[in-house]
Amino acid sequence: MSVNLAILGAHGAVGQEMLKVLAERNFPVNDLKLLGSARGAGAEILYGTRKITVEQVSDDSFKGVDIVLSALSSDLTRTYTPMAVESGAVVIDNSSAYRMDKDVPLVVPEINPGDAALHKGIIANPNCTTIITLVAVNAINRFSPIVRMIASTYQAVSGAGKEGPEELREQMGNYLAGNALENRVFKHQIVDNLIPHIDNFTENGYTAEEMKMVNESRKILHSPDMMVSCTCVRVPVMRSHSVSVMIETREDVSVEQAKELLRNAPGVELADDISAGIYPMPIHSSDKDTVFVGRVRKDISGSNGLNIWCCGDQVRKGAATNAVQIAELLVNERRAASC
Amino acid sequence: MSVNLAILGAHGAVGQEMLKVLAERNFPVNDLKLLGSARGAGAEILYGTRKITVEQVSDDSFKGVDIVLSALSSDLTRTYTPMAVESGAVVIDNSSAYRMDKDVPLVVPEINPGDAALHKGIIANPNCTTIITLVAVNAINRFSPIVRMIASTYQAVSGAGKEGPEELREQMGNYLAGNALENRVFKHQIVDNLIPHIDNFTENGYTAEEMKMVNESRKILHSPDMMVSCTCVRVPVMRSHSVSVMIETREDVSVEQAKELLRNAPGVELADDISAGIYPMPIHSSDKDTVFVGRVRKDISGSNGLNIWCCGDQVRKGAATNAVQIAELLVNERRAASC
């Protein structure tokens, strides 16, 4: 069973990583279309031994396509997703455009794979920080439901696309040379700085990025009453997002129980041996698909709480890998249906 | 009224900053002794127009000294502080050695200046992150006592002394050049990384740095029952510490009330106008004495909670400035006594 696949936004950081992940995971690709804006059209990209020319996306780009992996901005996604669905494709969309629509499943395959089957043409890929945090706490949530979660994030510059790491690298050079710094991607300098502002501010004083953690977490975990607050901060790290998270569970979960759950949790690598100086760090999780989890300890400020520190590659598990895993769910579903 | 002053550890980052702060604040210095280890002895340091030779500290270094500003490691402080106290000096100690001793006041002048007068020869300067966080939340705590505080820190490399920023700078250069990185000060690379491990681990899985926030906060705020948990993380920023903090107060405090309190809080600069993109960042607070506070909003995960983001210069308000402010309290006390 081979799939006719299209990648929308093939030129971006996530689009490029999707190609890498598809090849690594031997995804059963039959036809592969690479689609992009007028600016990117005409470029040639290698996929294994195939040389594929990027086509400018149009309303007839999706004929015969089974699955579209879309890595566009929310605005562009709202233009092209309906065309693709109309043509009969299933769109796995990495933007935030459709995530909270009640007809659109929001899926992390380690957590709620069953939701994927409920799609009506669109499956949304969650926010990167939300994916990483939820993969880290999922096994504990299954053991005893999380009733409250307070997260502070340490988000890499890769979250701003290809240009984020380029800007940090350029600023590092100019910083060392004592030159003026130029901010194009970020509102403020990011070298030697932290920016507590990702995405736009909303009415309650939280940013849209912070509210994604609140709302998407509830949807993915099927926990509409879970209480969540979040502070999102951009840090001068290239690629892995990290999160300091406090979770309160309905029943008390001991540190040993939590570690045992994490040891067996899908998509998780427990990195927690403080006596040996082992804990998750961005340098460990970058270019990996697993979420590294550690510093597991009782929250000493309340009851039934655990403090956890986790790191995950934002471009991979936080975006490209999760999307490809959703595509794999669709393939497996078709395989099962054709048996 | 002029003071015979000694600086212990005059060569370190904090010792150097103390000299700068003393001069800036026109501290009434009469005699000024600069004391250090054998390694630093003999060096000449300018204080205003005076050229002062660093002396090797010994048991008779403290004769005639009124106040010692000590910026030594905890080990060394335990050796020299008793000698200084024996000689009749008051030691303002920046290390953690005596902070939790019940006979040693732990003072942030904006918060508990009255405690300084209760000293028996030693006054402790609190942990840098604790000072910055508590200055940020002090006015709210006075209005309605904080019952719970959950903090995640973003701590600059300056917290490791002079060598911290040197190592980050060196690693930035080698990172850009594609060279191998050398870790001398930090256990792991700090460029392009985050290290969730500051000071040693303790039995409950928290680090000593994290437990300082817990225990010192209770002592400074005179709130022995306040519940606190903390996650301390080293970030690739040169000099200002930042903290994402959730506080729950006994009564509900509105965002507008909190902002009004912060606007009038000593040592605080309210930097909170999200519509104009204004919030605290390390580049604002570095080389300043005020703690920048912003992103003030209701904690939407519970009742009576506020989320706050604050940044403060770790070397100045987190260490040198706070120590000099304590010395000023002592001078004012003597002035009042001699009236």
Side-chain angles (χ1 to χ4, degrees), chain B residues 200-220:
Chain B
N200 298 320
F201 283 104
T202 70
E203 274 189 11
N204 64 0
Y206 285 74
T207 60
E209 182 81 358
E210 290 160 354
M211 292 309 295
K212 287 171 198 167
M213 178 78 95
V214 177
N215 296 319
E216 296 184 21
S217 293
R218 289 173 173 167
K219 181 168 176 174
I220 295 164

PDB file of all heavy atoms in Angstrom, chain B residues 200-220:
ATOM      1  N   ASN B 200      24.508  21.756  44.157  1.00  0.00           N
ATOM      2  CA  ASN B 200      24.389  20.305  44.314  1.00  0.00           C
ATOM      3  C   ASN B 200      22.945  19.848  44.492  1.00  0.00           C
ATOM      4  O   ASN B 200      22.095  20.607  44.942  1.00  0.00           O
ATOM      5  CB  ASN B 200      25.190  19.861  45.539  1.00  0.00           C
ATOM      6  CG  ASN B 200      26.658  20.172  45.366  1.00  0.00           C
ATOM      7  OD1 ASN B 200      27.208  20.010  44.276  1.00  0.00           O
ATOM      8  ND2 ASN B 200      27.290  20.643  46.425  1.00  0.00           N
ATOM      9  N   PHE B 201      22.712  18.583  44.167  1.00  0.00           N
ATOM     10  CA  PHE B 201      21.394  18.005  44.426  1.00  0.00           C
ATOM     11  C   PHE B 201      21.245  17.685  45.906  1.00  0.00           C
ATOM     12  O   PHE B 201      22.216  17.326  46.574  1.00  0.00           O
ATOM     13  CB  PHE B 201      21.186  16.743  43.584  1.00  0.00           C
ATOM     14  CG  PHE B 201      20.874  17.061  42.143  1.00  0.00           C
ATOM     15  CD1 PHE B 201      21.829  16.908  41.152  1.00  0.00           C
ATOM     16  CD2 PHE B 201      19.620  17.540  41.796  1.00  0.00           C
ATOM     17  CE1 PHE B 201      21.539  17.231  39.827  1.00  0.00           C
ATOM     18  CE2 PHE B 201      19.326  17.857  40.472  1.00  0.00           C
ATOM     19  CZ  PHE B 201      20.281  17.703  39.497  1.00  0.00           C
ATOM     20  N   THR B 202      20.030  17.842  46.410  1.00  0.00           N
ATOM     21  CA  THR B 202      19.747  17.491  47.804  1.00  0.00           C
ATOM     22  C   THR B 202      18.868  16.245  47.820  1.00  0.00           C
ATOM     23  O   THR B 202      18.471  15.737  46.760  1.00  0.00           O
ATOM     24  CB  THR B 202      19.035  18.656  48.534  1.00  0.00           C
ATOM     25  OG1 THR B 202      17.707  18.795  48.013  1.00  0.00           O
ATOM     26  CG2 THR B 202      19.786  19.974  48.344  1.00  0.00           C
ATOM     27  N   GLU B 203      18.543  15.773  49.011  1.00  0.00           N
ATOM     28  CA  GLU B 203      17.859  14.478  49.144  1.00  0.00           C
ATOM     29  C   GLU B 203      16.476  14.423  48.508  1.00  0.00           C
ATOM     30  O   GLU B 203      16.040  13.360  48.078  1.00  0.00           O
ATOM     31  CB  GLU B 203      17.731  14.126  50.627  1.00  0.00           C
ATOM     32  CG  GLU B 203      18.981  13.425  51.142  1.00  0.00           C
ATOM     33  CD  GLU B 203      18.774  12.871  52.543  1.00  0.00           C
ATOM     34  OE1 GLU B 203      17.630  12.856  53.014  1.00  0.00           O
ATOM     35  OE2 GLU B 203      19.784  12.462  53.142  1.00  0.00           O
ATOM     36  N   ASN B 204      15.788  15.547  48.476  1.00  0.00           N
ATOM     37  CA  ASN B 204      14.419  15.521  47.932  1.00  0.00           C
ATOM     38  C   ASN B 204      14.367  15.709  46.417  1.00  0.00           C
ATOM     39  O   ASN B 204      13.299  15.875  45.846  1.00  0.00           O
ATOM     40  CB  ASN B 204      13.541  16.575  48.643  1.00  0.00           C
ATOM     41  CG  ASN B 204      14.014  18.001  48.384  1.00  0.00           C
ATOM     42  OD1 ASN B 204      14.999  18.199  47.670  1.00  0.00           O
ATOM     43  ND2 ASN B 204      13.332  18.978  48.952  1.00  0.00           N
ATOM     44  N   GLY B 205      15.542  15.681  45.765  1.00  0.00           N
ATOM     45  CA  GLY B 205      15.566  15.796  44.309  1.00  0.00           C
ATOM     46  C   GLY B 205      15.702  17.225  43.819  1.00  0.00           C
ATOM     47  O   GLY B 205      15.908  17.461  42.633  1.00  0.00           O
ATOM     48  N   TYR B 206      15.547  18.171  44.734  1.00  0.00           N
ATOM     49  CA  TYR B 206      15.768  19.584  44.380  1.00  0.00           C
ATOM     50  C   TYR B 206      17.269  19.862  44.517  1.00  0.00           C
ATOM     51  O   TYR B 206      17.974  19.204  45.278  1.00  0.00           O
ATOM     52  CB  TYR B 206      14.991  20.505  45.330  1.00  0.00           C
ATOM     53  CG  TYR B 206      13.504  20.541  45.051  1.00  0.00           C
ATOM     54  CD1 TYR B 206      12.686  19.469  45.403  1.00  0.00           C
ATOM     55  CD2 TYR B 206      12.912  21.632  44.430  1.00  0.00           C
ATOM     56  CE1 TYR B 206      11.320  19.489  45.136  1.00  0.00           C
ATOM     57  CE2 TYR B 206      11.547  21.661  44.166  1.00  0.00           C
ATOM     58  CZ  TYR B 206      10.762  20.584  44.512  1.00  0.00           C
ATOM     59  OH  TYR B 206       9.417  20.606  44.241  1.00  0.00           O
ATOM     60  N   THR B 207      17.732  20.878  43.806  1.00  0.00           N
ATOM     61  CA  THR B 207      19.110  21.317  44.009  1.00  0.00           C
ATOM     62  C   THR B 207      19.161  22.261  45.220  1.00  0.00           C
ATOM     63  O   THR B 207      18.130  22.808  45.648  1.00  0.00           O
ATOM     64  CB  THR B 207      19.631  22.097  42.786  1.00  0.00           C
ATOM     65  OG1 THR B 207      18.797  23.242  42.582  1.00  0.00           O
ATOM     66  CG2 THR B 207      19.636  21.232  41.537  1.00  0.00           C
ATOM     67  N   ALA B 208      20.376  22.461  45.745  1.00  0.00           N
ATOM     68  CA  ALA B 208      20.554  23.411  46.851  1.00  0.00           C
ATOM     69  C   ALA B 208      20.094  24.801  46.418  1.00  0.00           C
ATOM     70  O   ALA B 208      19.508  25.546  47.206  1.00  0.00           O
ATOM     71  CB  ALA B 208      22.015  23.435  47.288  1.00  0.00           C
ATOM     72  N   GLU B 209      20.332  25.159  45.147  1.00  0.00           N
ATOM     73  CA  GLU B 209      19.893  26.460  44.630  1.00  0.00           C
ATOM     74  C   GLU B 209      18.367  26.588  44.707  1.00  0.00           C
ATOM     75  O   GLU B 209      17.843  27.638  45.092  1.00  0.00           O
ATOM     76  CB  GLU B 209      20.370  26.616  43.175  1.00  0.00           C
ATOM     77  CG  GLU B 209      20.033  27.949  42.516  1.00  0.00           C
ATOM     78  CD  GLU B 209      20.990  29.075  42.882  1.00  0.00           C
ATOM     79  OE1 GLU B 209      21.909  28.855  43.693  1.00  0.00           O
ATOM     80  OE2 GLU B 209      20.811  30.187  42.350  1.00  0.00           O
ATOM     81  N   GLU B 210      17.680  25.521  44.333  1.00  0.00           N
ATOM     82  CA  GLU B 210      16.215  25.536  44.381  1.00  0.00           C
ATOM     83  C   GLU B 210      15.707  25.636  45.817  1.00  0.00           C
ATOM     84  O   GLU B 210      14.736  26.351  46.109  1.00  0.00           O
ATOM     85  CB  GLU B 210      15.661  24.296  43.666  1.00  0.00           C
ATOM     86  CG  GLU B 210      15.885  24.368  42.160  1.00  0.00           C
ATOM     87  CD  GLU B 210      15.826  23.029  41.419  1.00  0.00           C
ATOM     88  OE1 GLU B 210      15.717  21.961  42.079  1.00  0.00           O
ATOM     89  OE2 GLU B 210      15.909  23.041  40.173  1.00  0.00           O
ATOM     90  N   MET B 211      16.386  24.935  46.733  1.00  0.00           N
ATOM     91  CA  MET B 211      15.962  24.971  48.138  1.00  0.00           C
ATOM     92  C   MET B 211      16.283  26.317  48.796  1.00  0.00           C
ATOM     93  O   MET B 211      15.645  26.699  49.775  1.00  0.00           O
ATOM     94  CB  MET B 211      16.590  23.803  48.911  1.00  0.00           C
ATOM     95  CG  MET B 211      16.056  22.430  48.491  1.00  0.00           C
ATOM     96  SD  MET B 211      14.227  22.316  48.477  1.00  0.00           S
ATOM     97  CE  MET B 211      13.843  22.531  50.221  1.00  0.00           C
ATOM     98  N   LYS B 212      17.274  27.042  48.237  1.00  0.00           N
ATOM     99  CA  LYS B 212      17.520  28.402  48.742  1.00  0.00           C
ATOM    100  C   LYS B 212      16.281  29.257  48.507  1.00  0.00           C
ATOM    101  O   LYS B 212      15.869  30.026  49.372  1.00  0.00           O
ATOM    102  CB  LYS B 212      18.727  29.030  48.033  1.00  0.00           C
ATOM    103  CG  LYS B 212      20.077  28.451  48.459  1.00  0.00           C
ATOM    104  CD  LYS B 212      21.205  28.979  47.559  1.00  0.00           C
ATOM    105  CE  LYS B 212      22.446  28.098  47.680  1.00  0.00           C
ATOM    106  NZ  LYS B 212      23.434  28.378  46.624  1.00  0.00           N
ATOM    107  N   MET B 213      15.704  29.147  47.327  1.00  0.00           N
ATOM    108  CA  MET B 213      14.489  29.925  47.021  1.00  0.00           C
ATOM    109  C   MET B 213      13.387  29.561  48.013  1.00  0.00           C
ATOM    110  O   MET B 213      12.661  30.445  48.499  1.00  0.00           O
ATOM    111  CB  MET B 213      14.037  29.629  45.588  1.00  0.00           C
ATOM    112  CG  MET B 213      12.772  30.336  45.180  1.00  0.00           C
ATOM    113  SD  MET B 213      13.010  32.076  44.770  1.00  0.00           S
ATOM    114  CE  MET B 213      13.201  31.945  43.001  1.00  0.00           C
ATOM    115  N   VAL B 214      13.263  28.296  48.332  1.00  0.00           N
ATOM    116  CA  VAL B 214      12.222  27.844  49.261  1.00  0.00           C
ATOM    117  C   VAL B 214      12.486  28.411  50.659  1.00  0.00           C
ATOM    118  O   VAL B 214      11.648  29.112  51.242  1.00  0.00           O
ATOM    119  CB  VAL B 214      12.185  26.292  49.325  1.00  0.00           C
ATOM    120  CG1 VAL B 214      11.159  25.818  50.356  1.00  0.00           C
ATOM    121  CG2 VAL B 214      11.910  25.704  47.942  1.00  0.00           C
ATOM    122  N   ASN B 215      13.665  28.128  51.194  1.00  0.00           N
ATOM    123  CA  ASN B 215      13.932  28.435  52.604  1.00  0.00           C
ATOM    124  C   ASN B 215      14.232  29.911  52.857  1.00  0.00           C
ATOM    125  O   ASN B 215      13.779  30.487  53.845  1.00  0.00           O
ATOM    126  CB  ASN B 215      15.098  27.564  53.097  1.00  0.00           C
ATOM    127  CG  ASN B 215      14.726  26.093  53.064  1.00  0.00           C
ATOM    128  OD1 ASN B 215      13.606  25.727  53.428  1.00  0.00           O
ATOM    129  ND2 ASN B 215      15.638  25.246  52.607  1.00  0.00           N
ATOM    130  N   GLU B 216      14.996  30.515  51.967  1.00  0.00           N
ATOM    131  CA  GLU B 216      15.331  31.927  52.165  1.00  0.00           C
ATOM    132  C   GLU B 216      14.094  32.818  51.989  1.00  0.00           C
ATOM    133  O   GLU B 216      13.929  33.813  52.691  1.00  0.00           O
ATOM    134  CB  GLU B 216      16.454  32.343  51.208  1.00  0.00           C
ATOM    135  CG  GLU B 216      17.759  31.612  51.480  1.00  0.00           C
ATOM    136  CD  GLU B 216      18.919  32.080  50.609  1.00  0.00           C
ATOM    137  OE1 GLU B 216      18.870  33.199  50.070  1.00  0.00           O
ATOM    138  OE2 GLU B 216      19.882  31.298  50.451  1.00  0.00           O
ATOM    139  N   SER B 217      13.220  32.452  51.042  1.00  0.00           N
ATOM    140  CA  SER B 217      12.001  33.255  50.843  1.00  0.00           C
ATOM    141  C   SER B 217      11.171  33.288  52.121  1.00  0.00           C
ATOM    142  O   SER B 217      10.668  34.330  52.539  1.00  0.00           O
ATOM    143  CB  SER B 217      11.150  32.665  49.709  1.00  0.00           C
ATOM    144  OG  SER B 217      11.813  32.810  48.479  1.00  0.00           O
ATOM    145  N   ARG B 218      11.016  32.121  52.740  1.00  0.00           N
ATOM    146  CA  ARG B 218      10.232  32.054  53.983  1.00  0.00           C
ATOM    147  C   ARG B 218      10.848  32.926  55.065  1.00  0.00           C
ATOM    148  O   ARG B 218      10.150  33.635  55.786  1.00  0.00           O
ATOM    149  CB  ARG B 218      10.179  30.613  54.479  1.00  0.00           C
ATOM    150  CG  ARG B 218       9.321  29.715  53.618  1.00  0.00           C
ATOM    151  CD  ARG B 218       9.462  28.271  54.075  1.00  0.00           C
ATOM    152  NE  ARG B 218       8.527  27.409  53.371  1.00  0.00           N
ATOM    153  CZ  ARG B 218       8.593  26.081  53.389  1.00  0.00           C
ATOM    154  NH1 ARG B 218       9.552  25.468  54.076  1.00  0.00           N
ATOM    155  NH2 ARG B 218       7.715  25.366  52.734  1.00  0.00           N
ATOM    156  N   LYS B 219      12.180  32.882  55.176  1.00  0.00           N
ATOM    157  CA  LYS B 219      12.848  33.650  56.227  1.00  0.00           C
ATOM    158  C   LYS B 219      12.748  35.162  55.967  1.00  0.00           C
ATOM    159  O   LYS B 219      12.437  35.936  56.870  1.00  0.00           O
ATOM    160  CB  LYS B 219      14.317  33.209  56.320  1.00  0.00           C
ATOM    161  CG  LYS B 219      15.110  33.935  57.394  1.00  0.00           C
ATOM    162  CD  LYS B 219      16.460  33.282  57.669  1.00  0.00           C
ATOM    163  CE  LYS B 219      17.273  34.095  58.673  1.00  0.00           C
ATOM    164  NZ  LYS B 219      18.518  33.416  59.071  1.00  0.00           N
ATOM    165  N   ILE B 220      13.005  35.578  54.738  1.00  0.00           N
ATOM    166  CA  ILE B 220      13.011  37.017  54.424  1.00  0.00           C
ATOM    167  C   ILE B 220      11.615  37.610  54.566  1.00  0.00           C
ATOM    168  O   ILE B 220      11.445  38.704  55.101  1.00  0.00           O
ATOM    169  CB  ILE B 220      13.557  37.243  52.987  1.00  0.00           C
ATOM    170  CG1 ILE B 220      15.021  36.809  52.922  1.00  0.00           C
ATOM    171  CG2 ILE B 220      13.387  38.702  52.558  1.00  0.00           C
ATOM    172  CD1 ILE B 220      15.543  36.610  51.503  1.00  0.00           C
TER     173      ILE B 220
END
